[in-house]
Amino acid sequence: MDRRSFLRKNTAVLAAPAVAAAPRPDDPPGTGDEPISKFANKKLPATARSTAGLAPYSGPWGYDQAAHLLRRSLFGPTRAEILTAAGRTLTQVVNDLLIAPAAPAPPLNVSATDTSVPVGQTWVTQPFDQNFEGVRRASLRSWWMGRMLNQNTSLVEKMTLFWHNHFVIEFADINDTRYGYQYVTLLRQQALGNIRQLAKDVTVTPAMLRYLNGNQSTGGAPNENYGRELLELFTVGKGPLVGPGNYTTYTEADVQAAARVLTGWRDNATTISGYYTASRHDTTTKQFSAAFGNVAIGNGGDQEYKTLIDLVFAQAETARFLCRKLYRWFVYYVIDATTEQNVIEPLAQLLIQNNYNVAPVLRTLLSSEHFFDVVNMGCVIKSPIDFTVTVARQFQIAFPPASSLAAQYGMWDYLNTITNLQQQVVGDPPNVAGWAAYWQTPQYYEMWINAVTLPRRNQFTDLMTSTNGYTRNGAKINIDVLALVTALPPAIASEANLLIAELTRLVFPIPLTANQLAYLNDVLLPGLPDFEWTDEWTQYLANPTNTAKKTAVTTKLQTLLRSIMILAEYHLS
């Protein structure tokens, strides 16, 4: 099996023109006009997938397996984290991943523009003021980036972003960052918890009520936005089309009935909460189709939406739909018939048996033979957030401390601008369906790499490997190559090929070829014998203040890292 086949251009489409992305059926006019590279998939890859199921993995356990698990579970696992995991058992590592850390302190004001609170205090409970929205939104995004950079070995941060991509809102659309903070807090609290309860909570949280117009929905004029997305995107999903607007999983009449159930809810900007107004609610009986067993929901007042959520989660297809999304987040985007039978269906049944608690499903998937099958290693293209945070964490970029609050938040904000340039910004997915890389067939993850984003990735890594780095608010961030290599065992740091091997096994999920390793050796030591690196490194350690010796090893290491990060494999997880 050639595990690198998907890294190469498909010669069959080299002459093909760029095509437009396929719009979703309910997208507004003009959606789907963004060109897709002529090199992108025109159909799903036909490469053979794993036939393994969910039996517990019992194969070798060491650095490679631990790295694979942590790459998919964390943003940019460090060398220390991988080594620690490799020294424990798979069960112990997964146990750790399923422990939720304590809730973080809220985001802080770091701008003199927001006069509602002093710099260094939180704004999350202050009254709304349009004049402060811009700096508060930047504060929230920066704080969220900080949580990902400073994550511990828990799935919570990866799952918080998963739920953000699933129960989508957009900060810019809701235009009240206090709502956004409450929403993010809810996702983090329930990241490893009960999906059905999360769906209930999200339904009436102020951010969602505002984002999908639930706050405008009345008995006299039900708004269908949330009811439609609840069924299509959040729970049962679209089954086969059986009529105009009707699917095996739900019908247009079901969307209308759901919209009537959800009437009467509004958002209160003073209390930052959703609330129910009986006079705005449709009190009639809501009839659902055969897709839901012809159930009728009578007037339940402020509890009626819970009955709807329970009805939707009583459908087995909801569990399957959720498990497919988890699979595409953690494993791969192709779900063939064998994977559907051996992985998705049993995971769905496990989810149902566990009353929609997600932790048992994550434990089973991440501990399975299927997850550790070689075909599922190194087949995910890193998202912009994963790519950017991974650079910072794996290469140990030092960020300003909390004592330099403006500088700290400023650097976190800078990373958000970098992911935005790569077409992913936390808090603002492009639409209610989330980032297209997780649903747009047949390209999926390929959509992260295009003529705009790839140069942006390279520009960021080039800047971080430079001596100048990025400067803001009197602080600088870059990769300290000397600190990075000095932290390695001396025998590894001082031997060229061992050093290259150690760095590449940290950052690459696929082993490099002999030619690639030889190329990197030549980058480090252009035309020089291997012992030259040992001599130069030893001389530097003996006299680290000597400018010439320090510059000699620094320049070589910066060039090596830059060359490592421009390889195609560096974009894989």
Side-chain angles (χ1 to χ4, degrees), residues 245-554:
N246 295 337
Y247 304 88
T248 55
T249 47
Y250 69 88
T251 67
E252 276 297 303
D254 293 325
V255 171
Q256 295 161 9
R260 290 163 55 209
V261 167
L262 296 165
T263 54
W265 285 91
R266 309 186 75 179
D267 62 289
N268 187 315
T270 301
T271 61
I272 318 176
S273 62
Y275 69 98
Y276 173 79
T277 302
S279 62
R280 293 167 61 91
H281 181 60
D282 184 327
T283 59
T284 64
T285 298
K286 293 82 178 177
Q287 181 66 50
F288 287 81
S289 74
F292 293 94
N294 295 309
V295 166
I297 295 180
N299 180 33
D302 64 354
Q303 301 299 302
E304 192 173 330
Y305 77 97
K306 296 180 182 178
T307 304
L308 171 62
I309 299 296
D310 288 337
L311 173 63
V312 173
F313 274 78
Q315 312 308 308
E317 191 54 40
T318 294
R320 298 186 188 103
F321 181 79
L322 291 167
C323 288
R324 292 184 196 110
K325 293 199 74 171
L326 286 166
Y327 184 89
R328 290 189 169 110
W329 189 261
F330 284 105
V331 186
Y332 191 53
Y333 61 82
V334 174
I335 300 176
D336 59 16
T338 301
T339 300
E340 182 73 22
Q341 176 182 330
N342 293 349
V343 179
I344 301 302
E345 186 60 32
L347 283 180
Q349 294 306 313
L350 182 65
L351 186 58
I352 293 169
Q353 292 162 15
N354 283 276
N355 200 31
Y356 280 94
N357 287 305
V358 73
V361 169
L362 294 173
R363 179 186 299 280
T364 298
L365 177 61
L366 299 178
S367 303
S368 69
E369 289 181 344
H370 186 89
F371 181 78
F372 287 100
D373 192 304
V374 66
V375 303
N376 290 324
M377 294 184 176
C379 59
V380 172
I381 295 176
K382 295 172 189 168
S383 72
I385 289 174
D386 200 1
F387 178 87
T388 303
V389 176
T390 294
V391 170
R393 297 191 81 245
Q394 290 195 328
F395 291 113
Q396 301 171 28
I397 293 177
F399 286 82
S403 57
S404 300
L405 194 64
Q408 183 186 65
Y409 269 66
M411 289 305 181
W412 294 344
D413 178 68
Y414 165 66
L415 291 193
N416 280 322
T417 67
I418 293 300
T419 68
N420 192 15
L421 290 172
Q422 298 171 41
Q423 300 177 355
Q424 184 184 35
V425 59
V426 68
D428 274 290
N431 54 52
V432 70
W435 288 292
Y438 301 106
W439 61 264
Q440 178 68 67
T441 188
Q443 292 83 26
Y444 286 100
Y445 312 148
E446 286 193 10
M447 301 198 65
W448 291 133
I449 303 294
N450 56 52
V452 174
T453 62
L454 183 57
R456 294 297 191 179
R457 291 184 179 214
N458 292 339
Q459 289 165 9
F460 174 64
T461 55
D462 284 352
L463 184 60
M464 289 299 101
T465 53
S466 71
T467 300
N468 291 334
Y470 175 76
T471 302
R472 183 172 178 176
N473 294 325
K476 184 181 81 171
I477 59 170
N478 71 336
I479 299 170
D480 185 340
V481 292
L482 296 180
L484 179 72
V485 175
T486 302
L488 298 174
I492 291 176
S494 62
E495 207 285 314
N497 292 315
L498 292 180
L499 173 60
I500 291 169
E502 190 67 21
L503 292 174
T504 55
R505 78 167 182 162
L506 170 64
V507 302
F508 294 127
I510 296 176
L512 296 188
T513 65
N515 285 342
Q516 287 174 313
L517 293 172
Y519 158 73
L520 293 175
N521 181 284
D522 194 52
V523 166
L524 182 65
L525 294 167
L528 300 172
D530 291 350
F531 67 77
E532 183 67 26
W533 172 254
T534 304
D535 289 347
E536 289 193 29
W537 183 251
T538 302
Q539 291 176 37
Y540 159 70
L541 292 180
N543 194 358
T545 59
N546 183 289
T547 301
K549 297 183 187 304
K550 181 178 180 180
T551 300
V553 293
T554 297

Side-chain angles (χ1 to χ4, degrees), residues 132-152:
F132 307 153
E133 266 302 287
V135 293
R136 288 180 178 179
R137 198 174 302 161
S139 169
L140 178 57
R141 291 192 209 277
S142 300
W143 171 85
W144 196 344
M145 176 60 70
R147 305 287 68 74
M148 291 185 280
L149 286 167
N150 294 294
Q151 68 193 298
N152 61 10

Side-chain angles (χ1 to χ4, degrees), residues 14 54 133 221 235 500 544:
L14 290 181
L54 295 176
E133 266 302 287
T235 56
I500 291 169

